[in-house]
């Protein structure tokens, strides 16, 4: 069965510092991979997605993620964090088009000044 | 386009009451789904539909019913509410060859069962 692990429940980063949020998935083939962000009391917004091709994916708000098949990982990065990036981040995976998303349990990002 | 809309935004129920959470999308998406979000648990799939007249169970379907009579609407019914169903419920839709599984989420319904 597919699964998604986000090892870090909570991360605190200083404003202006770089960020990396980890995501590991369990699936036999190349899945569809997503990162979503959720601000407090809000819905989910898609940051970026990976289906195939270039393993480094650019998203909105300056985020990027790299798919590493050998490590079954899809880590999210940002070179310089802004206070407005404080939110909860979810990694998600789907086996193929038209199937449901399986979400990780999320990582809460706090940004310190 | 309004995207994915959900009503109500907030709801308080007593144990044993029934209610329907409404979800509608105006993007002509074939795929719609319901998730619940609980602290520390991420989002878990309740039910989903790949088209009008077709529904299937997700990870946590017990206590919930769905139907899909039109492409636009995908209501979620709680038959007899229990405190364990206190949660935030999100409806999502996706469709089209360009978007694959990029799911668009509604704003959520916060449900409290007393």
């Amino acid at each position: 069965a597919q699964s998604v692990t986000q090892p870090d429940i909570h991360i605190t980063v200083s404003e202006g510092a770089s960020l990396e949020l980890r995501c590991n998935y369990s699936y036999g083939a190349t899945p569809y991979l997503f990162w979503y962000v959720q601000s407090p009391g809000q819905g989910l917004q898609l940051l970026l997605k990976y289906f195939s091709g270039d393993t480094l994916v650019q998203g909105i708000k300056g985020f990027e993620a790299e798919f590493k098949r050998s490590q079954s990982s899809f880590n999210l990065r940002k070179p310089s964090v802004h206070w407005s990036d404080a939110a909860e981040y979810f990694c998600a995976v789907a086996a193929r088009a038209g199937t449901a998303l399986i979400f990780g349990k999320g990582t809460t990002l706090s940004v310190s000044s | 386009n309004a995207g994915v809309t959900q009503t109500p935004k907030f709801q308080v129920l007593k144990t044993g009451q029934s209610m329907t959470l409404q979800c509608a999308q105006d993007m002509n998406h074939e795929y719609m789904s319901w998730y619940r979000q609980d602290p520390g648990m991420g989002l878990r799939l309740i039910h989903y539909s790949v088209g009008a007249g077709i529904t299937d169970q997700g990870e946590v379907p017990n206590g919930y019913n769905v139907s899909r009579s039109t492409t636009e609407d995908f209501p979620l019914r709680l038959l007899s509410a229990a405190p364990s169903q206190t949660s935030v419920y999100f409806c999502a839709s996706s469709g089209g060859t360009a978007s694959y599984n990029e799911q668009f989420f509604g704003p959520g319904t916060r449900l409290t069962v007393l």
Side-chain angles (χ1 to χ4, degrees), chain A residues 43-90:
Chain A
L44 283 84
Q45 181 181 25
L46 180 69
L47 286 176
L48 46 78
K49 59 191 176 187
Y50 173 78
F51 300 139
S52 64
D54 192 346
T55 56
L56 186 62
V57 180
Q58 301 298 320
I60 63 171
K61 304 185 179 187
F63 285 93
E64 67 178 26
E66 186 171 12
F67 170 63
K68 293 186 177 179
R69 183 191 305 276
S70 61
Q71 298 177 18
S72 296
S73 69
F74 188 57
N75 294 349
L76 182 72
R77 301 194 294 247
K78 187 170 185 178
S80 178
V81 168
H82 188 262
W83 64 266
S84 61
D85 293 323
E88 190 160 20
Y89 292 79
F90 293 95

Side-chain angles (χ1 to χ4, degrees), chain B residues 45-102:
Chain B
L45 183 68
I46 304 172
H47 285 285
Y48 65 97
S49 168
V50 299
I54 306 170
T55 64
D56 206 346
Q57 297 181 351
E59 180 185 356
V60 288
N62 292 342
Y64 307 95
N65 274 0
V66 292
S67 61
R68 184 94 179 272
S69 56
T70 67
T71 299
E72 294 77 19
D73 301 298
F74 190 44
L76 178 72
R77 297 183 188 84
L78 282 70
L79 303 176
S80 178
S84 61
Q85 294 178 303
T86 294
S87 187
V88 181
Y89 291 85
F90 288 100
C91 179
S93 74
S94 67
T97 55
S99 66
Y100 291 92
N101 277 33
E102 177 181 340

Side-chain angles (χ1 to χ4, degrees), chain A residues 36 38 46 49 94 97-100, chain B residues 31 35 37 40 45 101-103:
Chain A
Y36 284 86
Q38 183 182 35
L46 180 69
K49 59 191 176 187
T99 60
Chain B
Y31 187 94
Y35 296 85
Q37 183 179 24
L45 183 68
N101 277 33
E102 177 181 340
Q103 298 205 12

Side-chain angles (χ1 to χ4, degrees), chain A residues 1 19-20 25 32 38 81 86 96 113:
Chain A
L19 169 70
E20 182 170 31
Y25 67 90
Y32 297 90
Q38 183 182 35
V81 168
R96 59 187 184 276
S113 55

